[in-house]
Amino acid sequence: MSIGAIPSSNLLSPLKFAQSTLLLNLATPGDTMKNMSDINSNPEFAKLICDNNFSYKWDAIFMSGGGNDLIDSIMQIICPPSTGAGQNFLDYIDRIELANFRKGLHNNFKTVSQLRDQSSKNKNTPLIVHVYDYPTPRNAKAKFLGAKFAGPWLLPALKTHDVPENFWISITDYIFEELGKALVDLESILPNFHVISATRGILTRARLGTTEADGDWLNEIHPTATGYSKLGVVISHEIQSILNQS
């Protein structure tokens, strides 16, 4: 739940619940599930979840996970087509790399789930994640007080592998849908694991070729404050519903 630019917002800021609620944010910019599941690199998370001396009983563990892992793997997932291919957007997607990404993501979430389950206080605490809305590959960087400092994240892979522009949206949507499916599948694999799927199709999409804030997107992969507010309405309702059932 980190901030994608300054000034900006994040996914936690607009959340509203029926009762007074404390939100403790442990996010860092660009963090991945691979890193979050590594206890050695994320000791604070482990301490607050399962350490007998420091942990608390939490009502929920809400993670925005998988997006940065996908960004880290995007250069391998998007690929040049084999000889004679290239007429279909699927020709530019390496299915083996996509499967490897999915397997790694599942393993990392399993590690986080196991960490939770070894805790006497939080074994039955809901672990909640969300699917991502559709970004548009474009040369729109994150900014810090007006200066560009990070990104773009998707566009370089498409350009490096000479993907025709008319395939950019189809490829991006397909890959993010596969990420969503990988998350949803975990509901039947991990105990008390919940996926908020209603967060897809909420944001007004940015247009190809734009380089500044456009639609509900501040940059290539982060929403504007208005975009986060739209997502916040959906997420607040879904989390409240999960907690009411717990």
Side-chain angles (χ1 to χ4, degrees):
M1 312 300 170
S2 60
I3 294 176
I6 296 178
S8 180
S9 180
N10 74 358
L11 202 51
L12 297 180
S13 300
L15 298 185
K16 291 181 173 59
F17 301 103
Q19 66 276 16
S20 178
T21 304
L22 170 68
L23 302 177
L24 176 62
N25 188 6
L26 297 179
T28 55
D31 210 358
T32 61
M33 278 306 305
K34 181 178 180 180
N35 184 63
M36 284 187 274
S37 65
D38 183 352
I39 296 176
N40 292 326
S41 63
N42 199 6
E44 192 69 14
F45 179 75
K47 182 173 73 173
L48 292 172
I49 296 298
C50 61
D51 189 299
N52 289 331
N53 296 319
F54 296 98
S55 63
Y56 295 84
K57 174 64 183 79
W58 302 101
D59 293 304
I61 302 169
F62 180 41
M63 306 184 76
S64 185
N68 287 324
D69 298 82
L70 180 61
I71 295 301
D72 281 358
S73 301
I74 200 72
M75 194 65 75
Q76 290 73 46
I77 293 173
I78 296 175
C79 64
S82 58
T83 304
Q87 301 305 307
N88 188 295
F89 77 89
L90 292 173
D91 295 336
Y92 293 87
I93 296 174
D94 189 318
R95 304 299 183 86
I96 294 176
E97 289 293 342
L98 191 56
N100 289 339
F101 162 75
R102 175 191 177 92
K103 180 179 180 180
L105 187 67
H106 277 194
N107 287 337
N108 292 328
F109 269 113
K110 287 176 183 177
T111 300
V112 172
S113 177
Q114 289 165 358
L115 179 67
R116 174 202 60 181
D117 293 344
Q118 72 185 30
S119 164
S120 59
K121 296 177 183 177
N122 290 295
K123 184 174 182 178
N124 297 314
T125 300
L127 181 57
I128 306 171
V129 301
H130 67 91
V131 303
Y132 295 82
D133 214 334
Y134 299 111
T136 298
R138 60 198 186 103
N139 191 24
K141 298 183 177 183
K143 295 181 179 180
F144 179 82
L145 301 177
K148 298 177 179 179
F149 76 96
W153 298 264
L154 304 171
L155 187 63
L158 294 163
K159 286 193 167 184
T160 295
H161 298 304
D162 295 322
V163 178
E165 187 172 338
N166 59 302
F167 288 157
W168 289 4
I169 294 294
S170 297
I171 289 173
T172 301
D173 287 1
Y174 181 87
I175 292 173
F176 273 83
E177 285 167 2
E178 289 298 304
L179 169 58
K181 291 176 184 177
L183 293 173
V184 170
D185 285 348
L186 286 168
E187 285 188 309
S188 61
I189 298 173
L190 302 178
N192 212 352
F193 186 91
H194 306 266
V195 181
I196 300 174
S197 297
T199 43
R200 178 181 291 155
I202 297 296
L203 305 179
T204 299
R205 188 165 204 160
R207 296 166 295 170
L208 275 173
T210 54
T211 59
E212 301 293 333
D214 195 64
D216 286 324
W217 295 85
L218 184 63
N219 49 58
E220 193 188 39
I221 62 172
H222 298 103
T224 61
T226 300
Y228 279 126
S229 293
K230 290 181 178 181
L231 294 171
V233 171
V234 174
I235 290 173
S236 298
H237 172 76
E238 295 287 336
I239 290 179
Q240 189 73 62
S241 179
I242 293 168
L243 293 180
N244 290 343
Q245 297 170 17
S246 300

